[in-house]
Amino acid sequence: MAANILSQYSGFQHDPNAPILEEFQRLAALRGWKAGSKRYKTTLRTCLQAESRELFRSDGRLDALQQLCRDVGVHPTPETITSCRKALQNVNVNIIDLIDSRRCGSAVETFRTRVALRNYSKMQGKIYPKQWAKSDDAIRNLLIRMW
């Protein structure tokens, strides 16, 4: 989990309940990594991937999709994989914010339109790598075209 990755750095006191980007930025500042550098980008992606794998892993695909539906406010919770995927197609949520909602125990913000989500994600610099989202059976249902 990302806590293990972030905690491996000596002198860094990781808070597993804080937003992942804030924690990473604290680590980067401590280590002197410049935003945009290869080291910064590589370590950030590793942390995001590890955190999402830990938070969204599940024993079964239906279980993961149902939990994701609950996380983003789909009620009632769909009963089948197909109905979960169909319900998630209408949800506009930032994946990094979704990670933080599980880390912090808070509700995740949803957006009325994909354009609003796209603009928010770009302005906040909260863009989850597409290749990782595609490889996760639950998370891939939240992908939108960013560019």
Side-chain angles (χ1 to χ4, degrees), residues 128-135 143:
Y128 191 84
K130 179 173 75 171
Q131 67 272 22
W132 294 338
K134 280 186 164 185
S135 70
L143 282 176

Side-chain angles (χ1 to χ4, degrees), residues 57-118:
R57 81 172 170 214
S58 175
D59 293 343
R61 290 179 9 192
L62 177 59
D63 180 48
L65 288 167
Q66 287 176 323
Q67 182 58 52
L68 188 54
C69 285
R70 287 188 289 273
D71 288 346
V72 299
V74 173
H75 298 291
T77 303
E79 297 291 324
T80 66
I81 290 172
T82 301
S83 59
C84 284
R85 287 186 175 148
K86 189 172 183 177
L88 290 169
Q89 287 176 353
N90 299 318
V91 174
N92 299 306
V93 66
N94 181 278
I95 296 171
I96 295 174
D97 286 349
L98 182 61
I99 290 170
D100 286 342
S101 76
R102 286 204 182 171
R103 282 175 62 93
C104 304
S106 60
V108 67
E109 178 181 5
T110 58
F111 296 83
R112 292 183 58 88
T113 67
R114 289 180 180 212
V115 171
L117 170 59
R118 184 178 304 115

Side-chain angles (χ1 to χ4, degrees), residues 49 104 120 124:
Q49 186 177 29
C104 304
Y120 166 83
Q124 296 296 315

Side-chain angles (χ1 to χ4, degrees), residues 8 10 14 17 45 73 90 102:
Q8 77 183 359
S10 62
H14 173 63
N17 298 313
R45 287 189 173 144
N90 299 318
R102 286 204 182 171

